[in-house]
Amino acid sequence: LSNAQLFAERGQRINELNLINHIGHITSSTFDIEQMFAGVYEALAGFLAIDVFAACVYNAAQDRIDQMFVGAGDRKVFQRAWYAPSPDSLIRLVVDTQRPVRLEDLRDETIDREIGINIAYPDGAVCARASCVGVPLVVGDREVVGVIVLQSDKPHAYSDRELAFLNTVAVQVALGVQNIRLFTEARDSAKALQWKVGELSALLRAAQV
């Protein structure tokens, strides 16, 4: 029995490492945030108990969610958001504490009243589940650049081990979000510079005329 448990543990660990490597490839191979979140969702959906997956990009300087992805089964919704996290939402709690949050049974009225968890589709369809876990996407000097939320119809769906695994995944996704942000800023700066050069050239030609 002990050997069987050790063998199962080894197999589980190998599967976790393979999935982490796969997610690392997903986050490093695209500069499209929707494509990255969709790939992470599909990778995790076959490994963890997920009825609803949500991931957002958070802008700390503006205190707002810039982009939101929600997946449930085959349904995927992506939206550019530009709104502040609700004061009673799980995303706000994770952003403010910069720590993972696990709620084991949202059917408990006390927990629901205290936290007020409602992860909604961008089109307004609310998904209320029995249990959920949220982890921050942190880079650099404790800057939160996003949040990942998993929800399940089953209470107590996420163990300490699964929370630790999700934290490791969050490190990979946070780097992906930061890389996309830096790439977007560099691209926008290059476009602005190109436009400025064109403007100066036009002014020079006008001056010559």
Side-chain angles (χ1 to χ4, degrees):
L1 180 60
S2 178
N3 287 339
Q5 290 173 339
L6 289 173
F7 185 79
E9 172 72 17
R10 178 176 177 273
Q12 177 76 0
R13 184 59 179 163
I14 289 173
N15 290 337
E16 289 175 354
L17 291 173
N18 287 338
L19 185 55
I20 289 170
N21 288 335
H22 177 55
I23 290 175
H25 174 72
I26 292 171
T27 58
S28 63
S29 61
T30 180
F31 289 115
D32 184 300
I33 197 73
E34 179 180 2
Q35 183 179 347
M36 186 185 75
F37 281 155
V40 172
Y41 164 56
E42 291 167 1
L44 290 176
F47 192 75
L48 298 174
I50 302 175
D51 289 295
V52 176
F53 170 95
C56 71
V57 175
Y58 175 70
N59 185 328
Q62 302 293 327
D63 184 31
R64 73 185 186 197
I65 296 170
D66 284 349
Q67 294 155 308
M68 172 71 77
F69 173 89
V70 180
D74 294 332
R75 186 182 184 192
K76 303 180 184 69
V77 180
F78 179 79
Q79 186 180 63
R80 300 188 183 280
W82 296 299
Y83 61 84
S86 172
D88 60 354
S89 69
L90 176 62
I91 290 176
R92 169 58 70 187
L93 184 59
V94 172
V95 165
D96 288 348
T97 61
Q98 300 184 5
R99 298 171 65 88
V101 175
R102 178 175 55 187
L103 300 175
E104 298 187 290
D105 194 346
L106 290 174
R107 298 171 303 177
D108 185 323
E109 292 184 1
T110 302
I111 293 177
D112 196 25
R113 187 163 53 249
E114 288 177 354
I115 307 299
I117 302 304
N118 267 325
I119 300 296
Y121 283 113
D123 60 11
V126 175
C127 304
R129 303 295 176 177
S131 60
C132 69
V133 60
V135 294
L137 307 178
V138 181
V139 297
D141 189 20
R142 301 302 301 171
E143 179 188 0
V144 177
V145 297
V147 176
I148 288 178
V149 176
L150 306 185
Q151 290 184 304
S152 173
D153 289 334
K154 299 178 181 178
H156 308 281
Y158 306 109
S159 65
D160 290 339
R161 175 169 188 152
E162 288 166 328
L163 183 58
F165 169 73
L166 192 57
N167 277 327
T168 303
V169 170
V171 173
Q172 301 274 12
V173 179
L175 291 174
V177 171
Q178 183 72 341
N179 287 340
I180 292 172
R181 174 181 290 180
L182 294 174
F183 171 78
T184 303
E185 290 175 355
R187 182 189 60 192
D188 292 346
S189 295
K191 287 182 179 179
L193 179 60
Q194 186 178 17
W195 184 87
K196 189 65 176 179
V197 169
E199 182 184 49
L200 292 173
S201 297
L203 290 172
L204 178 59
R205 288 194 299 271
Q208 288 171 343
V209 171

